[in-house]
Amino acid sequence: MMEHRDRPNGQPEIPPAGSRVALVTGGNRGIGREIARQLSRMGLTVLIGCRDEAKGREAAEQLGKEGAPVRPEVLDVGSPSSIDALMDRVREKYGRLDVLVNNAGIILDRGVSVLEVEESVVRQTLETNFFGALRLIQAAVPLMRKHRYGRIVNVSSGLGTYQAFELLPELKGQSGAYRLSKSLLNYLTCLAAQEVDGREIKINAVCPGSVRTDMGGPDAPLSVEEGADTAVWLATIDADGPNGGFFRYRAKAEW
């Protein structure tokens, strides 16, 4: 096991990329897949979480052909037992988790008024978009503290900010379940960031923007490479990097 020493100036020594283990949830497609690809090419051991085992293997095989080897893991972020099982495998096989990207997310009420959305849809959305991230953060932080290094990135959305009411008034109360889940994820980011030291472990949120994925649609202005960029930056920032912030295009964004 690598000995962890502080730098002369008191800053924690950042483990080299080749010794770091990263988990990207929802890493078999879209922005998650691109985040996994970029992290792998930077030398990290990357695990991609996917509910469907076959789809995870297919994505891993394709990424490997692109020169970005990753390791597929079955993970349903909406299932506490699935999260527990994965974290047991991570502890047993790797003994560490250095980077967690909470990317898995769903939108089930696009265009539906908050006055009409079914409660079951709200619950299912929160289970995936919020509670999954909460459980993974709670499981990951002890491993990160053990090795005195950790980067957690919550892939959120500008639709979960108060600013959305001012910039996108035409949305009114539409997509309320999705927007509520991202608002909670943003607040969770702030709360969790205050519970870590902010030097060795950092927790931030990112708005990737409108990206050409299954969720963003084919007419979205940003490529997946552009959408993944800020998340990858936050996943690999040094000890002087931010903690508890919300970012878009590598710049602080309004909550």
Side-chain angles (χ1 to χ4, degrees):
M1 182 179 297
M2 182 186 68
E3 182 183 356
H4 194 118
R5 297 180 299 273
D6 282 350
R7 297 172 182 169
N9 64 1
Q11 293 286 4
E13 179 179 311
I14 294 180
S19 70
R20 290 180 235 158
V21 177
L23 169 62
V24 181
T25 68
N28 62 300
R29 64 178 184 172
I31 295 172
R33 176 176 173 146
E34 179 59 24
I35 292 171
R37 186 183 71 83
Q38 292 188 29
L39 291 176
S40 175
R41 288 190 169 179
M42 295 171 75
L44 282 73
T45 297
V46 179
L47 317 178
I48 59 169
C50 178
R51 286 182 297 177
D52 188 303
E53 183 177 2
K55 290 181 179 179
R57 287 199 307 266
E58 181 181 355
E61 181 179 349
Q62 184 58 43
L63 285 167
K65 292 178 180 178
E66 297 172 9
V70 300
R71 306 180 186 190
E73 291 285 352
V74 176
L75 174 63
D76 179 358
V77 298
S79 166
S81 61
S82 179
I83 291 175
D84 290 345
L86 172 59
M87 293 307 297
D88 285 344
R89 295 195 299 272
V90 169
R91 281 188 287 267
E92 180 179 350
K93 189 169 184 178
Y94 304 100
R96 64 186 301 140
L97 183 64
D98 303 282
V99 176
L100 168 63
V101 181
N102 282 312
N103 166 75
I106 57 175
I107 179 168
L108 304 176
D109 64 331
R110 192 190 305 272
V112 178
S113 168
V114 71
L115 300 180
E116 299 174 355
V117 64
E118 296 181 7
E119 183 177 321
S120 60
V121 170
V122 178
R123 289 181 180 275
Q124 185 177 351
T125 302
L126 292 178
E127 196 66 48
T128 296
N129 294 3
F130 171 70
F131 285 107
L134 172 62
R135 293 175 186 126
L136 281 162
I137 290 171
Q138 290 175 335
V141 167
L143 271 176
M144 293 175 174
R145 281 177 170 158
K146 180 180 178 181
H147 294 279
R148 301 177 58 193
Y149 177 87
R151 303 290 183 264
I152 297 177
V153 182
N154 295 322
V155 179
S156 187
S157 170
L159 292 178
T161 66
Y162 186 80
Q163 191 182 41
F165 294 106
E166 300 175 351
L167 298 181
L168 299 168
E170 67 275 11
L171 288 180
K172 297 184 178 179
Q174 296 178 10
S175 307
Y178 177 78
R179 294 167 68 180
L180 283 168
S181 71
K182 294 302 184 179
S183 294
L184 284 171
L185 184 61
N186 288 343
Y187 207 89
L188 170 62
T189 301
C190 296
L191 290 173
Q194 290 187 328
E195 289 295 307
V196 297
D197 63 16
R199 294 173 66 246
E200 298 172 343
I201 302 175
K202 299 176 183 295
I203 304 175
N204 292 286
V206 58
C207 172
S210 183
V211 182
R212 292 189 293 275
T213 62
D214 290 344
M215 184 177 289
D219 297 324
L222 299 178
S223 67
V224 288
E225 291 83 3
E226 292 170 317
D229 178 72
T230 303
V232 172
W233 168 64
L234 289 171
T236 55
I237 51 177
D238 62 23
D240 295 321
N243 178 51
F246 180 51
F247 295 86
R248 182 190 290 113
Y249 312 136
R250 297 199 183 194
K252 290 201 73 171
E254 294 293 330
W255 295 102

